[in-house]
Structures are given as C-alpha cells and as structure tokens.
mmCIF file of all heavy atoms in Angstrom:
data_model
loop_
_atom_site.group_PDB
_atom_site.id
_atom_site.type_symbol
_atom_site.label_atom_id
_atom_site.label_comp_id
_atom_site.label_asym_id
_atom_site.label_seq_id
_atom_site.Cartn_x
_atom_site.Cartn_y
_atom_site.Cartn_z
ATOM 1 N N HIS D 1 5.936 -56.059 -35.570
ATOM 2 C CA HIS D 1 5.662 -54.905 -34.822
ATOM 3 C C HIS D 1 5.805 -53.636 -35.778
ATOM 4 O O HIS D 1 6.445 -53.709 -36.722
ATOM 5 C CB HIS D 1 6.578 -54.654 -33.649
ATOM 6 C CG HIS D 1 8.039 -54.232 -33.964
ATOM 7 N ND1 HIS D 1 8.974 -55.289 -34.357
ATOM 8 C CD2 HIS D 1 8.652 -53.053 -34.112
ATOM 9 C CE1 HIS D 1 10.104 -54.614 -34.686
ATOM 10 N NE2 HIS D 1 9.982 -53.297 -34.454
ATOM 11 N N LEU D 2 5.162 -52.496 -35.401
ATOM 12 C CA LEU D 2 5.183 -51.350 -36.278
ATOM 13 C C LEU D 2 5.365 -50.066 -35.405
ATOM 14 O O LEU D 2 4.883 -49.929 -34.360
ATOM 15 C CB LEU D 2 3.773 -51.284 -36.898
ATOM 16 C CG LEU D 2 3.253 -50.019 -37.763
ATOM 17 C CD1 LEU D 2 4.183 -49.907 -38.962
ATOM 18 C CD2 LEU D 2 1.976 -50.077 -38.136
ATOM 19 N N ASN D 3 6.182 -49.171 -36.027
ATOM 20 C CA ASN D 3 6.465 -47.819 -35.481
ATOM 21 C C ASN D 3 5.662 -46.794 -36.405
ATOM 22 O O ASN D 3 5.963 -46.766 -37.543
ATOM 23 C CB ASN D 3 7.860 -47.503 -35.331
ATOM 24 C CG ASN D 3 8.619 -48.265 -34.319
ATOM 25 O OD1 ASN D 3 7.968 -48.598 -33.240
ATOM 26 N ND2 ASN D 3 9.796 -48.646 -34.541
ATOM 27 N N ILE D 4 4.845 -45.940 -35.855
ATOM 28 C CA ILE D 4 4.181 -44.858 -36.567
ATOM 29 C C ILE D 4 4.596 -43.584 -36.049
ATOM 30 O O ILE D 4 4.445 -43.317 -34.843
ATOM 31 C CB ILE D 4 2.634 -45.024 -36.481
ATOM 32 C CG1 ILE D 4 2.261 -46.332 -37.194
ATOM 33 C CG2 ILE D 4 1.996 -43.844 -37.282
ATOM 34 C CD1 ILE D 4 0.736 -46.656 -37.126
ATOM 35 N N THR D 5 5.181 -42.738 -36.850
ATOM 36 C CA THR D 5 5.643 -41.404 -36.264
ATOM 37 C C THR D 5 4.666 -40.349 -36.791
ATOM 38 O O THR D 5 4.056 -40.325 -37.773
ATOM 39 C CB THR D 5 7.040 -41.105 -37.006
ATOM 40 O OG1 THR D 5 6.885 -41.164 -38.455
ATOM 41 C CG2 THR D 5 8.128 -42.033 -36.665
ATOM 42 N N CYS D 6 4.368 -39.425 -35.723
ATOM 43 C CA CYS D 6 3.382 -38.380 -35.886
ATOM 44 C C CYS D 6 4.221 -37.042 -35.586
ATOM 45 O O CYS D 6 4.476 -36.722 -34.540
ATOM 46 C CB CYS D 6 2.359 -38.654 -34.910
ATOM 47 S SG CYS D 6 1.539 -40.201 -34.970
ATOM 48 N N HIS D 7 4.287 -36.225 -36.738
ATOM 49 C CA HIS D 7 4.869 -35.016 -36.591
ATOM 50 C C HIS D 7 3.893 -33.916 -36.267
ATOM 51 O O HIS D 7 2.768 -33.876 -36.553
ATOM 52 C CB HIS D 7 5.585 -34.581 -37.972
ATOM 53 C CG HIS D 7 6.714 -35.556 -38.402
ATOM 54 N ND1 HIS D 7 8.035 -35.261 -38.068
ATOM 55 C CD2 HIS D 7 6.635 -36.665 -39.118
ATOM 56 C CE1 HIS D 7 8.731 -36.344 -38.505
ATOM 57 N NE2 HIS D 7 7.906 -37.158 -39.085
ATOM 58 N N TYR D 8 4.350 -32.913 -35.412
ATOM 59 C CA TYR D 8 3.400 -31.866 -34.984
ATOM 60 C C TYR D 8 4.120 -30.498 -34.878
ATOM 61 O O TYR D 8 5.450 -30.471 -34.854
ATOM 62 C CB TYR D 8 2.779 -32.165 -33.593
ATOM 63 C CG TYR D 8 3.806 -32.374 -32.470
ATOM 64 C CD1 TYR D 8 4.362 -31.413 -31.639
ATOM 65 C CD2 TYR D 8 4.150 -33.773 -32.199
ATOM 66 C CE1 TYR D 8 5.266 -31.614 -30.677
ATOM 67 C CE2 TYR D 8 5.128 -34.012 -31.188
ATOM 68 C CZ TYR D 8 5.518 -32.958 -30.388
ATOM 69 O OH TYR D 8 6.452 -33.207 -29.435
ATOM 70 N N ASN D 9 3.394 -29.371 -34.923
ATOM 71 C CA ASN D 9 3.965 -28.067 -34.854
ATOM 72 C C ASN D 9 4.351 -27.730 -33.447
ATOM 73 O O ASN D 9 3.916 -28.287 -32.346
ATOM 74 C CB ASN D 9 3.044 -27.087 -35.400
ATOM 75 C CG ASN D 9 2.721 -27.219 -36.876
ATOM 76 O OD1 ASN D 9 3.516 -27.751 -37.659
ATOM 77 N ND2 ASN D 9 1.468 -26.903 -37.293
ATOM 78 N N SER D 10 5.245 -26.652 -33.284
ATOM 79 C CA SER D 10 5.765 -26.256 -32.023
ATOM 80 C C SER D 10 4.743 -25.796 -31.037
ATOM 81 O O SER D 10 4.840 -25.985 -29.768
ATOM 82 C CB SER D 10 6.804 -25.112 -32.307
ATOM 83 O OG SER D 10 6.209 -23.986 -32.939
ATOM 84 N N ASP D 11 3.397 -25.308 -31.596
ATOM 85 C CA ASP D 11 2.326 -24.868 -30.578
ATOM 86 C C ASP D 11 1.767 -26.052 -29.958
ATOM 87 O O ASP D 11 1.033 -25.831 -28.915
ATOM 88 C CB ASP D 11 1.409 -24.048 -31.390
ATOM 89 C CG ASP D 11 0.688 -24.820 -32.418
ATOM 90 O OD1 ASP D 11 1.463 -25.632 -33.188
ATOM 91 O OD2 ASP D 11 -0.510 -24.652 -32.656
ATOM 92 N N LEU D 12 2.060 -27.320 -30.335
ATOM 93 C CA LEU D 12 1.462 -28.436 -29.812
ATOM 94 C C LEU D 12 2.552 -29.178 -28.844
ATOM 95 O O LEU D 12 2.235 -30.190 -28.328
ATOM 96 C CB LEU D 12 0.943 -29.431 -30.740
ATOM 97 C CG LEU D 12 -0.121 -28.850 -31.694
ATOM 98 C CD1 LEU D 12 -0.387 -29.883 -32.748
ATOM 99 C CD2 LEU D 12 -1.383 -28.566 -30.894
ATOM 100 N N LYS D 13 3.679 -28.534 -28.606
ATOM 101 C CA LYS D 13 4.789 -29.235 -27.936
ATOM 102 C C LYS D 13 4.384 -29.631 -26.492
ATOM 103 O O LYS D 13 4.700 -30.771 -26.111
ATOM 104 C CB LYS D 13 5.926 -28.250 -27.832
ATOM 105 C CG LYS D 13 7.152 -28.770 -27.059
ATOM 106 C CD LYS D 13 8.242 -27.699 -27.118
ATOM 107 C CE LYS D 13 9.492 -28.169 -26.207
ATOM 108 N NZ LYS D 13 10.597 -27.201 -26.293
ATOM 109 N N ASN D 14 3.686 -28.826 -25.794
ATOM 110 C CA ASN D 14 3.332 -29.214 -24.461
ATOM 111 C C ASN D 14 1.940 -29.738 -24.148
ATOM 112 O O ASN D 14 1.448 -29.893 -23.127
ATOM 113 C CB ASN D 14 3.408 -27.888 -23.489
ATOM 114 C CG ASN D 14 4.774 -27.244 -23.496
ATOM 115 O OD1 ASN D 14 5.785 -28.080 -23.322
ATOM 116 N ND2 ASN D 14 4.885 -25.955 -23.590
ATOM 117 N N LYS D 15 1.394 -30.101 -25.287
ATOM 118 C CA LYS D 15 0.012 -30.743 -25.270
ATOM 119 C C LYS D 15 0.117 -32.286 -25.170
ATOM 120 O O LYS D 15 1.189 -32.836 -25.416
ATOM 121 C CB LYS D 15 -0.795 -30.456 -26.609
ATOM 122 C CG LYS D 15 -0.967 -28.976 -26.860
ATOM 123 C CD LYS D 15 -1.796 -28.280 -25.853
ATOM 124 C CE LYS D 15 -2.045 -26.835 -26.248
ATOM 125 N NZ LYS D 15 -2.868 -26.116 -25.179
ATOM 126 N N ILE D 16 -0.885 -32.923 -24.570
ATOM 127 C CA ILE D 16 -1.050 -34.335 -24.507
ATOM 128 C C ILE D 16 -1.051 -34.919 -25.851
ATOM 129 O O ILE D 16 -1.905 -34.424 -26.686
ATOM 130 C CB ILE D 16 -2.113 -34.792 -23.613
ATOM 131 C CG1 ILE D 16 -1.962 -34.289 -22.183
ATOM 132 C CG2 ILE D 16 -2.211 -36.259 -23.607
ATOM 133 C CD1 ILE D 16 -3.003 -34.467 -21.267
ATOM 134 N N LYS D 17 -0.337 -35.976 -26.246
ATOM 135 C CA LYS D 17 -0.435 -36.566 -27.550
ATOM 136 C C LYS D 17 -1.285 -37.790 -27.464
ATOM 137 O O LYS D 17 -1.309 -38.499 -26.490
ATOM 138 C CB LYS D 17 0.915 -36.984 -28.052
ATOM 139 C CG LYS D 17 1.900 -35.805 -27.938
ATOM 140 C CD LYS D 17 1.552 -34.494 -28.631
ATOM 141 C CE LYS D 17 2.556 -33.426 -28.541
ATOM 142 N NZ LYS D 17 3.188 -33.153 -27.218
ATOM 143 N N PHE D 18 -2.091 -38.031 -28.540
ATOM 144 C CA PHE D 18 -3.134 -39.167 -28.555
ATOM 145 C C PHE D 18 -2.842 -39.950 -29.787
ATOM 146 O O PHE D 18 -2.497 -39.453 -30.850
ATOM 147 C CB PHE D 18 -4.485 -38.647 -28.455
ATOM 148 C CG PHE D 18 -4.957 -37.946 -27.276
ATOM 149 C CD1 PHE D 18 -4.822 -36.454 -27.192
ATOM 150 C CD2 PHE D 18 -5.350 -38.637 -26.130
ATOM 151 C CE1 PHE D 18 -5.141 -35.875 -26.062
ATOM 152 C CE2 PHE D 18 -5.719 -37.869 -25.024
ATOM 153 C CZ PHE D 18 -5.656 -36.549 -24.972
ATOM 154 N N PHE D 19 -3.114 -41.279 -29.665
ATOM 155 C CA PHE D 19 -3.145 -42.180 -30.819
ATOM 156 C C PHE D 19 -4.266 -43.063 -30.648
ATOM 157 O O PHE D 19 -4.345 -43.816 -29.678
ATOM 158 C CB PHE D 19 -1.880 -42.999 -30.990
ATOM 159 C CG PHE D 19 -1.796 -43.796 -32.185
ATOM 160 C CD1 PHE D 19 -1.532 -43.319 -33.405
ATOM 161 C CD2 PHE D 19 -2.008 -45.244 -32.015
ATOM 162 C CE1 PHE D 19 -1.381 -44.171 -34.400
ATOM 163 C CE2 PHE D 19 -1.882 -46.021 -33.191
ATOM 164 C CZ PHE D 19 -1.598 -45.571 -34.356
ATOM 165 N N CYS D 20 -5.301 -43.096 -31.596
ATOM 166 C CA CYS D 20 -6.451 -43.909 -31.381
ATOM 167 C C CYS D 20 -7.017 -44.361 -32.747
ATOM 168 O O CYS D 20 -6.590 -43.916 -33.743
ATOM 169 C CB CYS D 20 -7.570 -43.226 -30.541
ATOM 170 S SG CYS D 20 -8.260 -41.776 -31.473
ATOM 171 N N LYS D 21 -7.940 -45.321 -32.602
ATOM 172 C CA LYS D 21 -8.519 -46.066 -33.822
ATOM 173 C C LYS D 21 -9.923 -45.676 -34.053
ATOM 174 O O LYS D 21 -10.760 -45.649 -33.149
ATOM 175 C CB LYS D 21 -8.367 -47.576 -33.687
ATOM 176 C CG LYS D 21 -8.891 -48.437 -34.761
ATOM 177 C CD LYS D 21 -8.651 -49.870 -34.465
ATOM 178 C CE LYS D 21 -9.097 -50.745 -35.699
ATOM 179 N NZ LYS D 21 -8.905 -52.052 -35.350
ATOM 180 N N GLY D 22 -10.318 -45.489 -35.253
ATOM 181 C CA GLY D 22 -11.675 -45.307 -35.498
ATOM 182 C C GLY D 22 -11.761 -44.495 -36.930
ATOM 183 O O GLY D 22 -10.988 -43.600 -37.163
ATOM 184 N N SER D 23 -12.866 -44.767 -37.670
ATOM 185 C CA SER D 23 -13.071 -44.113 -38.967
ATOM 186 C C SER D 23 -13.512 -42.587 -38.700
ATOM 187 O O SER D 23 -13.366 -41.855 -39.590
ATOM 188 C CB SER D 23 -14.071 -44.829 -39.892
ATOM 189 O OG SER D 23 -15.301 -44.999 -39.237
ATOM 190 N N ASP D 24 -14.168 -42.292 -37.704
ATOM 191 C CA ASP D 24 -14.700 -40.978 -37.327
ATOM 192 C C ASP D 24 -13.803 -40.380 -36.259
ATOM 193 O O ASP D 24 -13.883 -40.899 -35.058
ATOM 194 C CB ASP D 24 -16.210 -41.170 -36.927
ATOM 195 C CG ASP D 24 -16.871 -39.796 -36.797
ATOM 196 O OD1 ASP D 24 -16.115 -38.739 -36.556
ATOM 197 O OD2 ASP D 24 -18.070 -39.745 -36.845
ATOM 198 N N PRO D 25 -13.080 -39.382 -36.544
ATOM 199 C CA PRO D 25 -12.269 -38.704 -35.420
ATOM 200 C C PRO D 25 -13.003 -38.233 -34.286
ATOM 201 O O PRO D 25 -12.483 -38.200 -33.191
ATOM 202 C CB PRO D 25 -11.489 -37.654 -36.168
ATOM 203 C CG PRO D 25 -12.317 -37.354 -37.394
ATOM 204 C CD PRO D 25 -12.904 -38.635 -37.730
ATOM 205 N N SER D 26 -14.239 -37.856 -34.529
ATOM 206 C CA SER D 26 -14.999 -37.398 -33.294
ATOM 207 C C SER D 26 -15.244 -38.497 -32.297
ATOM 208 O O SER D 26 -15.409 -38.282 -31.091
ATOM 209 C CB SER D 26 -16.309 -36.742 -33.750
ATOM 210 O OG SER D 26 -17.121 -37.574 -34.370
ATOM 211 N N LEU D 27 -15.542 -39.666 -32.870
ATOM 212 C CA LEU D 27 -15.717 -40.851 -32.026
ATOM 213 C C LEU D 27 -14.430 -41.365 -31.395
ATOM 214 O O LEU D 27 -14.319 -41.812 -30.329
ATOM 215 C CB LEU D 27 -16.434 -41.963 -32.801
ATOM 216 C CG LEU D 27 -17.839 -41.637 -33.267
ATOM 217 C CD1 LEU D 27 -18.348 -42.885 -34.048
ATOM 218 C CD2 LEU D 27 -18.785 -41.326 -32.207
ATOM 219 N N CYS D 28 -13.457 -41.289 -32.210
ATOM 220 C CA CYS D 28 -12.054 -41.678 -31.805
ATOM 221 C C CYS D 28 -11.608 -40.860 -30.588
ATOM 222 O O CYS D 28 -10.900 -41.312 -29.797
ATOM 223 C CB CYS D 28 -11.048 -41.458 -32.923
ATOM 224 S SG CYS D 28 -9.463 -42.008 -32.846
ATOM 225 N N GLU D 29 -12.106 -39.554 -30.516
ATOM 226 C CA GLU D 29 -11.670 -38.673 -29.399
ATOM 227 C C GLU D 29 -12.179 -39.242 -28.135
ATOM 228 O O GLU D 29 -11.509 -39.105 -27.031
ATOM 229 C CB GLU D 29 -12.133 -37.298 -29.818
ATOM 230 C CG GLU D 29 -11.711 -36.287 -28.752
ATOM 231 C CD GLU D 29 -12.144 -34.858 -29.145
ATOM 232 O OE1 GLU D 29 -12.660 -34.737 -30.290
ATOM 233 O OE2 GLU D 29 -11.873 -33.963 -28.359
ATOM 234 N N SER D 30 -13.324 -39.740 -28.091
ATOM 235 C CA SER D 30 -14.064 -40.128 -26.855
ATOM 236 C C SER D 30 -13.896 -41.591 -26.533
ATOM 237 O O SER D 30 -14.164 -42.060 -25.386
ATOM 238 C CB SER D 30 -15.509 -39.735 -26.888
ATOM 239 O OG SER D 30 -16.110 -40.466 -28.004
ATOM 240 N N SER D 31 -13.521 -42.398 -27.491
ATOM 241 C CA SER D 31 -13.405 -43.882 -27.264
ATOM 242 C C SER D 31 -12.427 -44.406 -28.185
ATOM 243 O O SER D 31 -11.896 -43.848 -29.108
ATOM 244 C CB SER D 31 -14.684 -44.515 -27.437
ATOM 245 O OG SER D 31 -15.057 -44.450 -28.854
ATOM 246 N N GLY D 32 -11.874 -45.629 -27.816
ATOM 247 C CA GLY D 32 -10.933 -46.282 -28.689
ATOM 248 C C GLY D 32 -9.508 -45.899 -28.549
ATOM 249 O O GLY D 32 -8.678 -46.159 -29.320
ATOM 250 N N ILE D 33 -9.187 -44.965 -27.498
ATOM 251 C CA ILE D 33 -7.755 -44.544 -27.465
ATOM 252 C C ILE D 33 -6.964 -45.726 -27.065
ATOM 253 O O ILE D 33 -7.148 -46.297 -26.083
ATOM 254 C CB ILE D 33 -7.666 -43.269 -26.344
ATOM 255 C CG1 ILE D 33 -8.407 -42.077 -26.908
ATOM 256 C CG2 ILE D 33 -6.281 -43.134 -26.008
ATOM 257 C CD1 ILE D 33 -8.506 -40.880 -25.933
ATOM 258 N N LYS D 34 -5.901 -45.897 -27.788
ATOM 259 C CA LYS D 34 -4.884 -46.976 -27.516
ATOM 260 C C LYS D 34 -3.672 -46.485 -26.660
ATOM 261 O O LYS D 34 -3.255 -47.277 -25.839
ATOM 262 C CB LYS D 34 -4.363 -47.435 -28.949
ATOM 263 C CG LYS D 34 -5.427 -48.085 -29.728
ATOM 264 C CD LYS D 34 -6.092 -49.274 -29.115
ATOM 265 C CE LYS D 34 -7.084 -49.988 -30.045
ATOM 266 N NZ LYS D 34 -7.667 -51.195 -29.531
ATOM 267 N N ALA D 35 -3.276 -45.276 -26.864
ATOM 268 C CA ALA D 35 -2.186 -44.773 -26.162
ATOM 269 C C ALA D 35 -2.166 -43.176 -26.097
ATOM 270 O O ALA D 35 -2.628 -42.599 -27.114
ATOM 271 C CB ALA D 35 -0.782 -45.349 -26.613
ATOM 272 N N SER D 36 -1.700 -42.624 -25.060
ATOM 273 C CA SER D 36 -1.428 -41.221 -25.033
ATOM 274 C C SER D 36 -0.267 -40.905 -24.074
ATOM 275 O O SER D 36 0.261 -41.741 -23.448
ATOM 276 C CB SER D 36 -2.724 -40.490 -24.520
ATOM 277 O OG SER D 36 -2.767 -40.693 -23.025
ATOM 278 N N SER D 37 0.207 -39.704 -24.228
ATOM 279 C CA SER D 37 1.356 -39.270 -23.401
ATOM 280 C C SER D 37 1.061 -39.223 -21.979
ATOM 281 O O SER D 37 1.786 -38.974 -21.112
ATOM 282 C CB SER D 37 1.972 -38.020 -23.830
ATOM 283 O OG SER D 37 0.992 -36.978 -24.072
ATOM 284 N N GLU D 38 -0.325 -39.343 -21.623
ATOM 285 C CA GLU D 38 -0.787 -39.535 -20.172
ATOM 286 C C GLU D 38 -0.544 -40.791 -19.697
ATOM 287 O O GLU D 38 -0.032 -40.916 -18.639
ATOM 288 C CB GLU D 38 -2.246 -39.066 -20.080
ATOM 289 C CG GLU D 38 -2.490 -37.693 -19.689
ATOM 290 C CD GLU D 38 -3.983 -37.454 -19.264
ATOM 291 O OE1 GLU D 38 -4.926 -38.254 -19.810
ATOM 292 O OE2 GLU D 38 -4.312 -36.541 -18.477
ATOM 293 N N THR D 39 -0.936 -41.828 -20.438
ATOM 294 C CA THR D 39 -0.848 -43.242 -20.023
ATOM 295 C C THR D 39 0.581 -43.875 -20.483
ATOM 296 O O THR D 39 0.915 -44.946 -20.000
ATOM 297 C CB THR D 39 -2.018 -43.935 -20.519
ATOM 298 O OG1 THR D 39 -2.002 -43.940 -21.922
ATOM 299 C CG2 THR D 39 -3.352 -43.481 -19.990
ATOM 300 N N ASN D 40 1.100 -43.403 -21.610
ATOM 301 C CA ASN D 40 2.224 -43.885 -22.193
ATOM 302 C C ASN D 40 2.211 -45.227 -22.941
ATOM 303 O O ASN D 40 2.560 -45.348 -24.039
ATOM 304 C CB ASN D 40 3.423 -43.984 -21.126
ATOM 305 C CG ASN D 40 4.755 -44.334 -21.811
ATOM 306 O OD1 ASN D 40 4.985 -43.745 -22.906
ATOM 307 N ND2 ASN D 40 5.539 -45.180 -21.179
ATOM 308 N N SER D 41 1.356 -46.131 -22.303
ATOM 309 C CA SER D 41 1.182 -47.373 -23.006
ATOM 310 C C SER D 41 -0.122 -48.031 -22.599
ATOM 311 O O SER D 41 -0.634 -47.731 -21.448
ATOM 312 C CB SER D 41 2.371 -48.356 -22.644
ATOM 313 O OG SER D 41 2.387 -48.775 -21.349
ATOM 314 N N THR D 42 -0.668 -48.732 -23.607
ATOM 315 C CA THR D 42 -1.919 -49.526 -23.298
ATOM 316 C C THR D 42 -1.835 -50.881 -23.965
ATOM 317 O O THR D 42 -1.942 -50.931 -25.230
ATOM 318 C CB THR D 42 -3.109 -48.781 -23.807
ATOM 319 O OG1 THR D 42 -3.206 -47.368 -23.364
ATOM 320 C CG2 THR D 42 -4.413 -49.516 -23.473
ATOM 321 N N GLY D 43 -1.521 -51.889 -23.244
ATOM 322 C CA GLY D 43 -1.432 -53.192 -23.942
ATOM 323 C C GLY D 43 -0.200 -53.300 -24.838
ATOM 324 O O GLY D 43 0.884 -52.944 -24.535
ATOM 325 N N ARG D 44 -0.583 -53.554 -26.201
ATOM 326 C CA ARG D 44 0.495 -53.709 -27.124
ATOM 327 C C ARG D 44 0.839 -52.376 -27.678
ATOM 328 O O ARG D 44 1.636 -52.237 -28.596
ATOM 329 C CB ARG D 44 0.033 -54.725 -28.227
ATOM 330 C CG ARG D 44 -0.146 -56.067 -27.758
ATOM 331 C CD ARG D 44 -0.624 -57.086 -28.888
ATOM 332 N NE ARG D 44 -1.912 -56.612 -29.305
ATOM 333 C CZ ARG D 44 -2.300 -56.129 -30.454
ATOM 334 N NH1 ARG D 44 -1.291 -55.917 -31.361
ATOM 335 N NH2 ARG D 44 -3.546 -55.859 -30.812
ATOM 336 N N PHE D 45 0.274 -51.261 -27.349
ATOM 337 C CA PHE D 45 0.414 -49.990 -27.880
ATOM 338 C C PHE D 45 1.184 -49.025 -26.909
ATOM 339 O O PHE D 45 0.823 -48.949 -25.667
ATOM 340 C CB PHE D 45 -0.899 -49.308 -28.192
ATOM 341 C CG PHE D 45 -1.612 -49.958 -29.290
ATOM 342 C CD1 PHE D 45 -2.324 -51.061 -29.153
ATOM 343 C CD2 PHE D 45 -1.829 -49.290 -30.462
ATOM 344 C CE1 PHE D 45 -3.154 -51.723 -30.065
ATOM 345 C CE2 PHE D 45 -2.516 -49.856 -31.559
ATOM 346 C CZ PHE D 45 -3.225 -51.075 -31.286
ATOM 347 N N SER D 46 2.205 -48.451 -27.379
ATOM 348 C CA SER D 46 3.058 -47.593 -26.523
ATOM 349 C C SER D 46 3.291 -46.267 -27.242
ATOM 350 O O SER D 46 3.399 -46.370 -28.496
ATOM 351 C CB SER D 46 4.317 -48.197 -26.048
ATOM 352 O OG SER D 46 5.183 -48.592 -27.096
ATOM 353 N N LEU D 47 3.595 -45.156 -26.574
ATOM 354 C CA LEU D 47 3.704 -43.915 -27.219
ATOM 355 C C LEU D 47 4.959 -43.224 -26.557
ATOM 356 O O LEU D 47 5.201 -43.188 -25.350
ATOM 357 C CB LEU D 47 2.584 -42.947 -27.048
ATOM 358 C CG LEU D 47 2.459 -41.676 -27.692
ATOM 359 C CD1 LEU D 47 1.035 -41.226 -28.044
ATOM 360 C CD2 LEU D 47 3.089 -40.497 -26.771
ATOM 361 N N ARG D 48 5.892 -42.601 -27.345
ATOM 362 C CA ARG D 48 7.066 -41.944 -26.884
ATOM 363 C C ARG D 48 7.091 -40.591 -27.570
ATOM 364 O O ARG D 48 7.035 -40.509 -28.814
ATOM 365 C CB ARG D 48 8.330 -42.738 -27.235
ATOM 366 C CG ARG D 48 9.666 -42.063 -26.742
ATOM 367 C CD ARG D 48 10.738 -43.009 -26.974
ATOM 368 N NE ARG D 48 10.873 -43.552 -28.361
ATOM 369 C CZ ARG D 48 11.534 -42.738 -29.290
ATOM 370 N NH1 ARG D 48 12.043 -41.665 -29.070
ATOM 371 N NH2 ARG D 48 11.604 -43.319 -30.456
#
C-alpha cells in the first residue's frame, strides 16, 4: 500500500481536493478521478 501526501497553500483550504490518474491534467480533470474530498474513497483509493 502507498501513502501520497499533497501539500497546498492556505487559499485552497476550503476547496475540494482531487487525486486522479492521467498524463494530461486537462483529461485527468474530467475523467479518471480516483478519489476526492467529496467522495472520500473510490475502491482501493482513499483521501484524507
């Protein structure tokens, strides 16, 4: 299992956090999302 930490600035504190897969971030934005702070977990992927 793997933990990946993602640091962000204070202006993003109240924003929804996303983690997704894809070589092109513009495509990653619309598809392939594995977990977000909206869903918290998707299958083997979870976000805290």
Side-chain angles (χ1 to χ4, degrees):
H1 75 274
L2 172 66
N3 291 321
I4 297 177
T5 55
C6 307
H7 297 267
Y8 56 87
N9 295 330
S10 57
D11 61 319
L12 299 174
K13 178 178 179 180
N14 296 319
K15 303 295 184 181
I16 296 172
K17 311 307 184 305
F18 296 96
F19 183 78
C20 67
K21 181 181 181 181
S23 58
D24 186 338
S26 64
L27 296 177
C28 184
E29 184 174 354
S30 59
S31 63
I33 291 177
K34 297 296 186 180
S36 75
S37 48
E38 261 193 336
T39 60
N40 190 37
S41 65
T42 307
R44 296 177 296 110
F45 293 73
S46 60
L47 184 152
R48 180 173 56 85

